[in-house]
Amino acid sequence: MRKGWKAFVLSVAMICMALVPASAQHAIEKQFQQWLSSDLWPEARARGIDERVFQQAFAGVKPNLKLPDLVLPGKSAPTGSEGQHQAEFRPPAAYFEPIGGIVSGGRARLKQYGAVLDAVEKRFGVPKGIVLAIWGRESGFGGAKIPHNVFEVLGTKAFLATRKAMFREEVLAALEMVQKRGVSPQAMRSSWAGALGQPQFMPTSYLKYAVDFDGDGKADIWNSVPDTLASIANYLAAHGWQKGRDWGFEINLPAHLSCTLEGPDQGRRIADWTAMGVTRVSGKPFPQHEMAGEGYLMLPAGRHGPAFLVTPNFYRLKDYNESDLYALFVGHAADRIVYGDIRFVTPWGKVEGFSRAQVAAMQKRLEQLGHDVGGADGLVSFKTRRSIGLWQERAGHAPTCYPDSALVRQIR
């Protein structure tokens, strides 16, 4: 069985860790302790953190060199990046393989926590299905193991990661959680990326969006289901979730409409899209209250898969996780949890035969030709998809707005 991407990144990091000599590890640990006392502590103190809190948080903490994206002293490349672009490109369909478990688990919890979900939806305006789908995706409804000490993870990354400044803010926010919110350092279990609890909030997000919904005086996103559900909904509401609007609809995209019309910067009223021939795959009309609202074409697999007309709420889901497929997974799972066994009508095409490195090379070439691909990262974002479509149109090909093995070789 193929390992998931997270497992792959961690396995690469563990191999790199094994290559670090014991003497070098000892030297890094010593430098880490010096950094804590002479660099991080003065800033923490200036932000109102007590020395007792600081010492308690970092008691026994050593840098975890198994984490990905670290730059070790004397090295110029991140420890987790050497194999990053060697991964086989995964077609979009693979992302939806675990959706059945999220749907069944969500339906069970819809019954179990119905009153809480109703109260959360009433207060924040975010549909209960969306909240359940995020809860399931992020932590398996609280059942996933969250194994790491957050101060070990964030301390290591603030000291050694490629994005030190970001993680420095996060570790200082984690200290503030202890100082001002009364969260026990021992309770602050996180993912390998430093995301906390059942909603998988970074510490800065916890400080902004975590909610005490069960009334016990603390926002407990590790153990309290009401606090977890309300915190997820509060995050989306604070980012601009539009109450009463859907997240999106699977559509039939007419052949005469170019796939290069995709993107949040090319929105039109849904009424205008229908005038251009866009229809729902279900055969139902778009809801009347949606017609005057803006909609955006979203083609996660270009012409090789289902097409969607999404609303601004789709991009609020992307605020939670900056991935088209994540937002689509959550929206689709939410529909199936609440409304029944709805499936994508258009099948996902089989797109295989190349690696992320090959995609990144193709992106660099498209950039050289003047296209905005959103960065040569080996990921096929909407900017990369429509850049491919524009290249295909200019080359006299029927645009698919998605790479295949032959196209990857052509655009080099």
Side-chain angles (χ1 to χ4, degrees):
M1 181 180 292
R2 266 183 217 143
K3 294 181 180 179
W5 173 242
K6 289 183 179 179
F8 173 80
V9 171
L10 287 173
S11 66
V12 171
M14 291 179 71
I15 292 171
C16 294
M17 168 63 175
L19 298 177
V20 179
S23 58
Q25 292 182 38
H26 179 73
I28 293 170
E29 290 173 8
K30 185 176 180 179
Q31 292 172 40
F32 178 72
Q33 294 301 324
Q34 292 174 339
W35 172 79
L36 285 176
S37 60
S38 64
D39 190 339
L40 188 64
W41 162 239
E43 184 170 358
R45 179 177 54 198
R47 295 194 183 195
I49 305 300
D50 293 339
E51 185 173 8
R52 176 187 56 82
V53 167
F54 190 88
Q55 294 298 335
Q56 184 184 14
F58 286 101
V61 170
K62 297 180 179 180
N64 183 347
L65 304 186
K66 295 179 182 180
L67 297 173
D69 301 323
L70 303 183
V71 182
L72 301 183
K75 303 288 184 180
S76 58
T79 59
S81 67
E82 289 86 348
Q84 182 178 6
H85 282 171
Q86 299 307 313
E88 180 181 349
F89 185 85
R90 298 183 74 221
Y95 195 89
F96 294 86
E97 291 172 359
I99 200 168
I102 303 298
V103 171
S104 60
R107 289 173 180 168
R109 286 158 181 84
L110 184 62
K111 296 178 181 178
Q112 184 178 3
Y113 300 110
V116 174
L117 287 160
D118 286 342
V120 167
E121 184 169 341
K122 182 178 180 180
R123 176 170 168 182
F124 298 102
V126 179
K128 61 192 74 176
I130 293 291
V131 175
L132 284 168
I134 290 177
W135 185 26
R137 182 72 193 188
E138 292 296 330
S139 65
F141 306 104
K145 292 182 179 180
I146 305 176
H148 295 288
N149 177 328
V150 73
F151 291 102
E152 177 187 274
V153 171
L154 295 178
T156 300
K157 287 179 173 286
F159 180 55
L160 292 172
T162 54
R163 294 178 292 168
K164 291 181 181 180
M166 186 199 84
F167 286 107
R168 187 182 185 91
E169 285 301 315
E170 295 296 344
V171 75
L172 288 165
L175 288 166
E176 188 174 340
M177 289 172 61
V178 180
Q179 177 79 36
K180 299 181 180 180
R181 299 293 185 89
V183 183
S184 167
Q186 289 72 35
M188 294 172 66
R189 310 305 294 175
S190 79
S191 71
W192 60 266
L196 297 163
Q198 297 185 45
Q200 287 291 274
F201 278 179
M202 297 301 287
T204 51
S205 291
Y206 176 94
L207 293 175
K208 293 176 183 176
Y209 310 115
V211 175
D212 170 23
F213 205 70
D214 60 15
D216 67 353
K218 57 183 179 180
D220 184 357
I221 61 172
W222 292 269
N223 304 297
S224 170
V225 169
D227 290 2
T228 294
L229 299 177
S231 297
I232 292 169
N234 186 40
Y235 183 101
L236 294 174
H239 280 78
W241 183 274
Q242 295 184 7
K243 184 178 180 179
R245 292 207 69 184
D246 209 313
W247 66 270
F249 309 88
E250 187 182 355
I251 61 167
N252 298 302
L253 183 65
H256 70 271
L257 288 184
S258 173
C259 53
T260 63
L261 293 173
E262 181 182 9
D265 53 352
Q266 300 191 92
R268 291 173 167 81
R269 294 187 313 148
I270 289 181
D272 295 332
W273 286 109
T274 60
M276 296 163 68
V278 170
T279 59
R280 294 176 67 182
V281 294
S282 66
K284 299 178 182 178
F286 290 99
Q288 190 60 40
H289 71 272
E290 292 280 6
M291 296 298 282
E294 197 164 43
Y296 317 92
L297 187 61
M298 206 277 290
L299 304 169
R303 288 281 186 178
H304 296 300
F308 303 89
L309 202 57
V310 299
T311 77
N313 285 340
F314 179 84
Y315 295 98
R316 303 294 72 78
L317 296 176
K318 287 191 67 175
D319 288 332
Y320 209 101
N321 182 311
E322 185 59 30
S323 162
D324 288 338
L325 293 178
Y326 177 90
L328 181 58
F329 183 104
V330 167
H332 184 56
D335 286 349
R336 289 177 59 177
I337 288 169
V338 176
Y339 301 118
D341 199 23
I342 302 167
R343 303 295 179 102
F344 295 133
V345 172
T346 304
W348 297 97
K350 187 176 181 180
V351 183
E352 295 180 354
F354 49 90
S355 70
R356 284 187 61 188
Q358 290 173 304
V359 174
M362 178 192 67
Q363 289 171 319
K364 290 177 182 177
R365 178 56 181 156
L366 287 168
E367 285 181 330
Q368 292 170 357
L369 295 172
H371 294 280
D372 177 9
V373 299
D377 55 7
L379 302 174
V380 186
S381 66
F382 79 89
K383 288 186 176 181
T384 294
R385 294 194 292 267
R386 72 185 183 194
S387 293
I388 289 170
L390 290 169
W391 181 91
Q392 290 172 316
E393 287 180 344
R394 293 170 187 175
H397 305 305
T400 64
C401 295
Y402 207 76
D404 55 41
S405 54
L407 190 63
V408 166
R409 289 192 297 271
Q410 281 181 298
I411 310 177
R412 289 292 294 270

